[in-house]
């Protein structure tokens, strides 16, 4: 490791500390927590792109799956909803699975031709009709249960930390299905296929209210860390805060954020160690061999598509885990926020800034890019203010410029991506 | 009579909208396919190029309106088209100069171009939001309908109406004109033929004295024109919103790929295929079926296969089926 | 006057030198044939003449003018034409469009030039509106040569034009090459079929490991016992 690498991490830490001194430590810790989550997403993307050369443009979809997992695990179950709709939903699911099984059996059994096409189509049509006749009324019934508060099935009321592995697992499952279909496509086709699959996943999360409450959001998810109000009521905490010289209210909020930071840092550390081990093991060397020359690797008997599927599943699982962590941090599921520009493409910028193929690079990229993603607005506002103050507050141009600062993030990130590709194509911490 | 009614309902809600939407997708897909044919990469910035062109057209429309210039009953935006195309062409040429040309000179692999086009996409998307904001804009003025449902009913004495919006008619006319000019250019002019030659075999094109940088420049100008026209037509027909235009990328790619990337005829066919599939899968056929089926068979529900929330799933399905069964597209790519 | 003369040409693609101190020359109306065993650098030597290989040392002159640093496309404008061994026609374009593209740099006289090429290759005239991908192997080579002729060259270079063709087609191609040479165009040809090629050659070069081993008129080389034994199979 060169001296440059740790220096850059110290620089990143200094940036966050600077926010602590200039703005507030509350803001600094919020940024830090999201930086850690971003670093985890970047690790997952780096696994796929950096080590295997796979274009996954569906990151936002896996992040959203992680978010849904958090609701499924930790939200309290809505008993009434289960009662009115649970049975019919189960029947609908059974019909759906049976239809698919029957259709694929027909597809395999009957010889290609018009007869096969017609019978598969007929099975699917009848199956869809039967499925909808159970599914639609079930959904209607569930969504009519106290729509203002519930209107969905709820979760299992389990400890929220369980959602993290489950989020990873669900994302892995989805990635397996997607990978089975879409891997093996040429790079840019895979990108387009995963981009659209993510849009479909987002559409499901936004619209299937019986499952996620859709854009009505699920709020008040339980936390893995104490609540501020409980801390403020605890004499022990209050006296401890006073002894450090901070008032109890801000101390409680800092404590909660620090607790999240600790959890996230632990997860990041574990994932980093695992990625490093994997990459330095024969497995990692094989992945790089496949990335650098697929044809040659296949020629010497490497199972290219199998390895690709594996790394696609693992990388997506990490994104799912990060999604679950993010929803846990926010304490609510807000499907409206899942935007490919913010998640998928930002994660790409992180990996390219950090250095594709380098785990440390991915972490650094995740931290730096998230930091600037948040702070560009502040920095931009200061710059815009200084550039236009002479126009006077009444000037429409000044007003427009000041309003536009809110939209500075995307072009800045695009610019950073282009500059990196051109001048530092190997990233800040290049692969060895 | 019932059958006629069913047909009119079908035309009104499926066929006519799909023809308009299909033309818009076809123009978009032509842009994607031309960039792929010449530069050999999938341009993820195309949706936002459309957004940029449309934005300029909207700004120009506002200015023209403020000057009292218009072509009533046609929308003012048509008058603004040349300005918008010129601005978009300038933007794309500058982008090529500053971004893509460097990677061409280094003979970078296609993935680098795709990654660069992502950067360009974010830049354009941000630029558009910066200038005009992320909100919905309606900029269609002029007559709304050529034939309204009510006029149709009184004229024919039928129970169902067939409405044709001005924007739909304009879309059809402009799309046909643009495609005709494009094909005339590609098949009849020396420059157009040299572009096809370059797309077919760049090395041999070089040996024939065809200048690659010139071909690339013309390619971007064509792309700017196609993207701007597609974007303005879509915006006139529906409305303009930057994020919607970004999302249009998916049906447009589906159309270009299903027709065979690099194949202009395929892009047009693909555009209509995607549009018809999307609209008919998400349309509630209750009324149509109510007319054609005997009463006891008439559906209780909406007879809608898929909610419109999932219309992207249609493009996706078409895309994946094409890629799995025939990756070169239905009409076959010219190469490989 | 020499149409083309490559002197002391030395260079390769990044790695080591593939050709070293290689010399090739062709005069007006001459057919020059480069032969040699596989991997001798025959095609590389010709590409060096055409500027598709950056020379480390040596010079290339075209009609006395030093063109060592010129890009291939600029050499086309000067009057050099090149027919690659593979992918040498625009498959998705019609025959006539292929010819038009060959004449891309010509300002006038395109129609007459096309007619002249059809006179030389009547088979192409019959199929002028069909796609090039519809042509047979032999006709494809004809079209490739015809496209190159459309650039109005003083020098035509062909990279193994008979590779993978039947003996009938091979003879046909050599017949056309002679016809083209007799119309005043110098020809440089890389060939596997050394014996047939040397029979029509005014000048022949035998390359081995990127160096000139023998050179002389076609007849001389055919008569040379060493050349016969080593390269012509006795």
């Amino acid at each position: 490791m060169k001296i440059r690498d740790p220096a850059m991490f110290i620089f990143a830490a200094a940036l966050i500390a600077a926010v602590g001194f200039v703005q507030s430590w509350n803001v600094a810790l919020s940024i830090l927590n999201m930086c850690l989550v971003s670093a985890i997403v970047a690790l997952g993307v780096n696994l796929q792109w950096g080590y295997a050369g796979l274009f996954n443009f569906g990151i936002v979809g896996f992040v959203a799956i992680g978010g849904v997992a958090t609701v499924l695990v930790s939200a309290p179950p809505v008993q009434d909803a289960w009662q009115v709709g649970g049975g019919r939903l189960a029947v609908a699911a059974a019909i759906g699975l049976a239809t698919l099984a029957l259709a694929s059996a027909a597809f395999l059994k009957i010889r290609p031709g018009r007869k096969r096409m017609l019978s598969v189509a007929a099975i699917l049509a009848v199956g869809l009709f039967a499925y909808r006749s159970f599914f639609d009324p079930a959904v209607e019934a569930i969504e009519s249960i106290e729509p203002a508060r519930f209107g969905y099935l709820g979760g299992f009321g389990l400890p929220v930390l369980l959602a993290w592995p489950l989020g990873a697992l669900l994302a892995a499952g989805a990635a397996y299905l997607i990978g089975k279909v879409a891997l093996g496509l040429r790079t840019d086709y895979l990108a387009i296929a995963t981009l659209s699959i993510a849009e479909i996943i987002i559409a499901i999360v936004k619209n299937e209210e019986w499952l996620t409450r859709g854009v009505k959001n699920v709020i008040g998810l339980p936390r893995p860390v104490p609540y501020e109000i409980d801390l403020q009521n605890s004499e022990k905490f209050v006296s401890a805060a006073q002894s450090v010289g901070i008032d109890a209210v801000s101390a409680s909020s800092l404590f909660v954020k620090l607790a999240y930071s600790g959890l996230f840092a632990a997860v990041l550390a574990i994932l980093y160690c695992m990625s490093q081990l994997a990459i330095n093991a024969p497995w990692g060397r094989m992945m790089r061999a496949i990335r650098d020359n697929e044809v040659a690797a296949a020629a010497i008997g490497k199972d290219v598509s199998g390895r690709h599927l594996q790394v696609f599943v693992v990388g997506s699982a990490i994104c799912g885990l990060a999604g679950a962590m993010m929803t846990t941090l926010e304490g609510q599921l807000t499907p409206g926020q899942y935007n490919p520009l913010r998640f998928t493409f930002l994660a790409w910028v992180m990996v390219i800034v950090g250095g594709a193929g380098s785990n440390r690079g991915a972490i650094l990229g995740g931290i730096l890019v998230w930091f600037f993603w948040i702070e560009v607005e502040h920095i931009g506002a200061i710059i815009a203010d200084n550039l236009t103050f002479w126009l006077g507050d009444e000037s429409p141009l000044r007003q427009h410029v000041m309003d536009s600062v809110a939209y500075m993030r995307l072009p800045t990130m695009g610019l950073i991506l282009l500059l990196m590709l051109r001048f530092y194509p190997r990233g800040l911490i290049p692969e060895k | 009579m019932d059958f006629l009614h069913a047909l009119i309902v079908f035309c009104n809600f499926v066929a006519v909208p799909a023809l308009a939407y299909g033309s818009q997708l076809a123009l978009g897909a032509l842009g994607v396919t031309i960039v792929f044919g010449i530069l050999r990469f999938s341009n993820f910035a195309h949706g936002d190029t459309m957004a940029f062109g449309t934005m300029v057209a909207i700004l120009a429309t506002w200015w023209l309106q403020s000057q009292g210039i218009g072509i009533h009953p046609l929308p003012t935006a048509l008058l603004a088209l040349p300005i918008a195309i010129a601005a978009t062409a300038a933007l794309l040429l500058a982008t090529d100069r500053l971004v893509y040309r460097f990677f061409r000179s280094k003979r970078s692999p296609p993935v680098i171009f795709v990654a660069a086009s992502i950067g360009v996409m974010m830049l354009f998307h941000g630029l558009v939001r910066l200038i005009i904001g992320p909100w919905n804009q309606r900029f269609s003025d002029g007559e709304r309908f050529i034939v309204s449902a009510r006029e149709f009913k009184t004229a024919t004495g039928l129970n169902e109406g067939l409405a044709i919006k001005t924007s739909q008619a304009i879309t059809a006319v402009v799309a046909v004109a643009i495609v005709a000019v494009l094909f005339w250019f590609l098949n009849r002019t020396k420059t157009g033929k040299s572009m096809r030659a370059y797309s077919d075999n760049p090395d041999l094109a070089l040996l024939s004295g065809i200048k690659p940088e010139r071909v690339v420049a013309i390619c971007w100008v064509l792309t700017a024109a196609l993207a701007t026209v597609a974007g303005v037509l879509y915006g006139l027909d529906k409305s303009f919103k930057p994020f919607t235009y970004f999302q249009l990328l998916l049906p447009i790619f589906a159309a270009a790929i299903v027709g065979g990337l690099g194949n202009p005829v395929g892009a047009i066919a693909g555009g209509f295929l995607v549009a018809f599939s999307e609209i008919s899968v998400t349309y509630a056929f209750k009324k149509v079926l109510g007319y054609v089926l005997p009463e006891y068979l008439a559906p209780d529900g909406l007879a809608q296969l898929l909610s419109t929330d999932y219309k992207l799933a249609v493009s996706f399905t078409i895309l994946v089926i094409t890629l799995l069964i025939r990756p070169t597209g239905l009409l076959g790519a010219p190469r490989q | 006057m020499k149409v083309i003369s490559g002197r002391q040409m030395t260079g390769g693609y990044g790695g080591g030198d593939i050709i070293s101190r290689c010399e090739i020359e062709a005069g007006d109306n001459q057919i020059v044939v480069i032969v040699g065993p596989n991997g001798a650098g025959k095609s590389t030597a010709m590409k060096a003449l055409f500027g598709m290989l950056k020379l480390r040392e040596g010079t290339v002159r075209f009609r006395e003018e030093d063109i060592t640093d010129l890009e291939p496309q600029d050499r086309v404008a000067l009057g050099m034409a090149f027919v690659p061994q593979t992918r040498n026609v625009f498959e998705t374009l019609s025959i006539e469009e292929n010819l038009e593209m060959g004449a891309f740099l010509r300002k006038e006289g395109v129609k007459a030039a096309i007619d002249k090429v059809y006179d030389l290759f009547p088979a192409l005239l019959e199929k002028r509106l069909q796609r090039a991908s519809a042509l047979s192997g032999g006709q494809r080579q004809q079209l490739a040569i015809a496209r190159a002729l459309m650039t109005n060259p003083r020098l035509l270079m062909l990279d193994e034009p008979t590779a993978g063709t039947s003996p009938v087609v091979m003879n046909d191609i050599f017949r056309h090459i002679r016809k083209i040479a007799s119309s005043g165009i110098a020809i440089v040809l890389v060939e596997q079929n050394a014996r047939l090629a040397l029979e029509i050659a005014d000048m022949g070069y035998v390359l081995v490991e990127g160096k000139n081993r023998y050179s002389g008129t076609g007849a001389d080389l055919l008569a040379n016992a060493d050349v016969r034994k080593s390269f012509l199979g006795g």
Side-chain angles (χ1 to χ4, degrees):
Chain A
M1 202 193 312
K2 281 175 292 183
I3 184 78
R4 227 173 58 123
D5 299 0
M8 278 190 286
F9 278 100
I10 292 168
F11 171 68
L15 282 178
I16 295 172
V19 171
F21 285 114
V22 176
Q23 284 177 280
S24 85
W25 286 100
N26 240 325
V27 176
L29 284 179
S30 311
I31 294 179
L32 173 67
N33 284 340
M34 278 307 288
C35 280
L36 292 171
V37 176
S38 304
I40 291 172
V41 174
L43 268 184
V45 178
N46 182 43
L47 209 57
Q48 295 174 335
W49 166 240
Y51 286 125
L54 291 179
F55 254 136
N56 176 7
F57 276 8
I59 296 156
V60 64
F62 298 111
V63 170
I65 289 176
V68 172
T70 315
V71 170
L72 290 182
V73 166
S74 68
V78 182
Q79 300 296 354
D80 293 347
W82 278 102
Q83 223 135 49
V84 296
R88 277 179 289 185
L89 268 188
V91 175
I95 292 176
L97 287 176
T99 306
L100 289 181
L102 215 61
S104 53
F107 188 81
L108 293 175
K109 282 275 159 58
I110 306 173
R111 262 177 292 145
R114 177 176 296 183
K115 201 176 142 201
R116 176 165 94 173
M117 227 166 66
L118 286 178
S119 36
V120 170
I123 291 170
L124 287 177
V126 173
L128 181 70
F129 188 73
Y131 166 81
R132 289 285 289 265
S133 66
F134 282 92
F135 182 77
D136 291 354
V139 166
E140 204 175 320
I142 293 170
E143 289 178 359
S144 61
I145 302 282
E146 289 193 64
R149 279 173 62 209
F150 301 121
Y152 79 126
L153 283 173
F156 292 96
L158 297 169
V160 68
L161 280 184
L162 281 180
W164 298 8
L166 185 81
L169 211 61
L170 284 182
Y176 180 81
L177 293 179
I178 296 166
K180 268 282 177 202
V181 179
L183 286 176
L185 296 178
R186 238 181 45 194
T187 38
D188 41 351
Y189 287 179
L190 178 64
I192 295 160
T194 46
L195 185 65
S196 28
I197 255 219
E199 285 298 303
I200 294 169
I201 293 175
I202 302 306
I204 293 174
V205 176
K206 274 187 193 162
N207 294 302
E208 297 304 313
E209 296 191 355
W210 59 277
L211 186 66
T212 65
R213 290 197 86 225
V215 285
K216 291 192 282 184
N217 302 347
V218 180
I219 55 168
L221 293 172
R223 279 182 180 179
V225 298
Y227 285 84
E228 286 88 347
I229 192 76
D230 294 335
L231 291 174
Q232 288 158 28
N233 290 337
S234 137
E235 275 174 32
K236 227 168 119 192
F237 181 81
V238 173
S239 61
Q242 273 158 357
S243 69
V244 210
I246 316 174
D247 70 287
V249 175
S250 22
S252 66
S253 137
L254 288 177
F255 180 84
V256 168
K257 292 208 163 67
L258 272 174
Y260 276 119
S261 310
L263 278 174
F264 289 179
V267 173
L268 179 60
I270 293 169
L271 285 175
Y272 170 70
C273 292
M274 282 165 61
S275 308
Q276 280 302 93
L277 285 176
I279 236 58
N280 293 322
W283 182 86
R285 283 198 292 279
M286 176 174 62
M287 286 314 305
R288 273 177 287 185
I290 292 176
R291 176 195 65 187
D292 294 338
N293 193 338
E294 247 174 62
V295 180
I300 56 168
K302 304 291 182 207
D303 175 11
V304 174
S305 47
R307 294 308 106 187
H308 274 174
L309 185 60
Q310 199 175 35
V311 83
F312 186 71
V313 167
V314 174
S316 306
I318 294 178
C319 295
L321 168 67
M325 292 165 66
M326 212 180 297
T327 304
T328 309
L329 174 69
E330 286 164 3
Q332 58 174 346
L333 180 72
T334 36
Q337 70 164 337
Y338 291 121
N339 178 326
L341 291 167
R342 174 172 159 194
F343 288 90
T344 302
F345 296 117
L346 199 62
W348 272 81
V349 178
M350 291 170 185
V351 172
I352 287 173
V353 165
S358 139
N359 288 324
R360 274 192 293 278
I363 294 175
L364 180 73
I367 294 173
L368 283 182
V369 168
W370 184 265
F371 180 85
F372 282 109
W373 176 255
I374 294 298
E375 287 296 322
V376 153
E377 239 173 89
H378 295 280
I379 301 169
I382 295 168
I383 295 174
D385 195 30
N386 283 311
L387 279 181
T388 59
F389 76 93
W390 53 273
L391 288 168
D393 280 340
E394 296 302 306
S395 153
L397 181 63
R398 175 176 161 88
Q399 278 166 7
H400 184 76
V401 169
M402 292 307 291
D403 289 345
S404 304
V405 165
Y407 311 116
M408 276 310 293
R409 287 173 165 179
L410 268 179
T412 312
M413 289 302 146
L415 201 61
I416 290 178
L417 177 60
L418 291 174
L419 291 175
M420 288 303 295
L421 279 176
R422 171 138 188 188
F423 296 107
Y424 295 93
R426 286 162 52 76
L428 292 177
I429 303 183
E431 182 187 2
K432 271 177 285 185
Chain B
M1 195 54 120
D2 276 352
F3 181 76
L4 187 62
H5 279 138
L7 190 69
I8 289 168
V9 175
F10 178 79
C11 286
N12 193 29
F13 292 103
V14 179
V16 172
L19 270 176
Y21 182 42
S23 312
Q24 292 147 12
L25 287 185
L27 290 175
L30 274 173
V32 166
T33 228
I34 285 177
V35 171
F36 187 86
I38 300 293
L39 295 148
R40 297 275 140 199
F41 76 92
S42 304
N43 181 12
F44 277 79
H46 196 75
D48 291 295
T49 307
M50 284 167 58
F52 181 87
T54 313
M55 177 196 72
V56 178
I58 293 173
L59 296 178
T61 300
W62 288 345
W63 181 79
L64 287 169
Q65 283 168 343
S66 75
Q67 302 295 307
I69 304 170
I71 39 172
H72 197 85
L74 295 175
T76 316
L78 287 185
L79 216 52
L81 261 181
I83 308 169
I85 291 173
T88 313
L91 178 76
L92 291 188
L93 288 172
T95 310
D96 184 71
R97 182 83 196 249
L98 294 172
V99 180
Y100 298 119
R101 194 159 80 167
F102 171 76
F103 298 113
R104 265 204 307 284
S105 72
K106 298 237 313 180
R107 295 185 169 270
S108 300
V111 284
I112 299 297
F113 283 89
V114 172
S117 80
I118 298 286
V120 171
M121 172 194 87
M122 294 169 98
L123 209 58
F124 286 5
H125 193 86
L127 201 62
V128 170
R129 297 212 304 185
L130 208 63
I131 296 176
I132 204 170
W135 315 280
N136 228 7
Q137 310 278 358
R138 291 190 166 276
F139 58 101
S140 173
D141 49 9
E143 234 18 91
R144 198 162 139 67
F145 287 102
I146 289 184
V147 181
S148 77
R150 185 205 304 253
E151 286 164 2
F152 184 87
K153 280 190 217 167
T154 42
T156 57
L158 293 169
N159 296 335
E160 294 292 343
L162 176 64
I164 297 178
K165 287 199 282 180
T166 315
S167 60
Q168 291 167 333
I170 290 175
T171 296
V173 172
V174 173
V176 168
I178 292 274
V179 167
V181 171
L182 179 71
F183 278 76
W184 170 81
F185 172 74
L186 289 177
N187 292 318
R188 290 282 178 268
T189 67
K190 188 172 158 187
T191 311
K193 287 175 189 173
S194 75
M195 295 192 68
R196 281 164 55 222
Y198 183 84
S199 164
D200 179 308
N201 192 335
D203 296 328
L204 196 61
L206 215 56
L207 292 180
S208 305
I210 295 170
K211 299 227 175 357
E213 289 305 314
R214 204 174 103 92
V215 170
V216 168
I218 295 166
C219 160
W220 285 120
V221 172
L222 283 180
T223 306
L226 287 166
T228 306
V229 172
V232 168
L233 292 177
Y234 184 88
L236 282 176
D237 199 18
K238 297 181 175 98
S239 69
F240 171 78
K241 190 180 174 193
F243 192 70
T244 312
Y245 277 56
F246 160 75
Q247 281 185 320
L248 272 180
L249 199 59
L250 295 174
I252 283 175
F253 266 123
I257 290 174
V258 79
L261 265 181
N263 181 334
V265 183
I268 296 169
F272 287 108
L273 179 70
V274 170
F276 267 93
S277 314
E278 195 174 287
I279 292 182
S280 45
V281 168
T282 54
Y283 173 65
F285 277 93
K286 182 180 167 66
K287 212 169 177 185
V288 175
L289 293 176
Y291 277 116
V292 284
L293 293 177
E295 207 158 309
Y296 63 93
L297 273 179
D300 300 326
L302 291 168
Q304 178 186 23
L305 275 172
L306 205 63
S307 128
T308 43
D309 300 324
Y310 295 119
K311 61 180 183 206
L312 279 178
V314 179
S315 315
F316 174 75
T317 311
I318 292 176
L319 187 74
V320 167
I321 291 177
T322 315
L323 291 178
L324 292 179
I325 296 176
R326 213 188 141 111
T328 52
L330 294 182
L331 298 180
R335 259 219 274 171
Q336 285 146 20
Chain C
M1 184 172 72
K2 293 292 175 202
V3 175
I4 188 91
S5 97
R7 296 211 155 270
Q8 303 287 312
M9 296 189 297
T10 304
Y13 306 100
D17 291 339
I18 297 174
I19 51 170
S20 62
R21 306 177 148 270
C22 184
E23 308 248 332
I24 312 263
E25 284 187 336
D28 271 331
N29 300 1
Q30 269 193 333
I31 299 179
V32 171
V33 175
I34 308 174
V35 296
N38 275 333
K42 306 186 292 285
S43 293
T44 309
M46 190 157 80
K47 283 177 180 156
L49 289 179
F50 198 69
M52 292 156 97
L53 172 84
K54 284 274 164 285
L55 288 180
R56 205 160 58 70
E57 274 168 40
T59 55
V60 180
R61 288 174 175 275
F62 179 71
R63 293 157 63 79
E64 311 287 288
E65 186 186 342
D66 189 337
I67 56 165
T68 313
D69 296 322
L70 233 49
E71 292 291 321
Q73 55 265 48
D74 300 323
R75 300 185 195 212
V76 174
L78 281 182
M80 293 171 71
F82 185 84
V83 181
Q85 186 183 345
T86 53
R87 295 185 40 79
N88 49 19
V89 298
F90 297 112
E91 290 183 14
T92 54
L93 270 59
S94 71
I95 311 301
E96 187 138 318
E97 285 172 338
N98 264 276
L99 299 179
E100 287 173 32
M101 286 303 105
F104 187 78
L105 291 176
R106 283 200 188 186
K107 295 277 178 287
E108 52 202 18
V110 176
K111 193 86 195 65
I114 289 181
D115 289 342
K116 220 169 108 188
V117 165
Y118 283 146
D119 282 344
L120 190 61
F121 301 107
L124 296 182
L125 178 62
E126 281 169 38
K127 303 194 165 182
R128 55 185 277 264
L129 296 180
Q130 290 183 25
R131 278 185 163 209
S133 55
L135 292 180
S136 71
Q139 290 167 342
R140 217 183 144 99
Q141 288 299 349
Q142 291 186 0
L143 177 61
I145 297 171
R147 186 216 51 89
L149 286 178
M150 289 301 296
T151 62
N152 197 17
R154 302 295 297 250
L155 168 69
L156 178 64
M157 307 210 272
L158 302 113
D159 192 359
E160 304 206 14
T162 65
T165 57
S166 69
V168 180
V169 172
M170 212 181 290
N171 280 322
D172 186 55
I173 292 172
F174 282 132
R175 191 170 52 83
H176 279 116
I177 289 173
R178 280 163 79 165
K179 231 177 176 175
I180 293 165
S182 67
S183 73
I185 297 174
I187 288 178
V188 176
L189 182 66
V190 166
E191 257 305 326
Q192 284 289 357
N193 301 294
R195 186 185 291 271
L196 265 179
L198 287 174
E199 274 172 15
I200 63 162
D202 296 306
M203 187 71 193
Y205 292 93
V206 180
L207 295 193
V208 177
E209 290 170 357
K211 297 186 180 72
N212 291 57
R213 176 68 63 87
Y214 303 96
S215 47
T217 64
D220 284 349
L221 289 175
L222 283 170
N224 183 319
D226 286 342
V227 174
R228 291 175 68 105
K229 210 172 89 195
S230 314
F231 306 109
L232 303 177

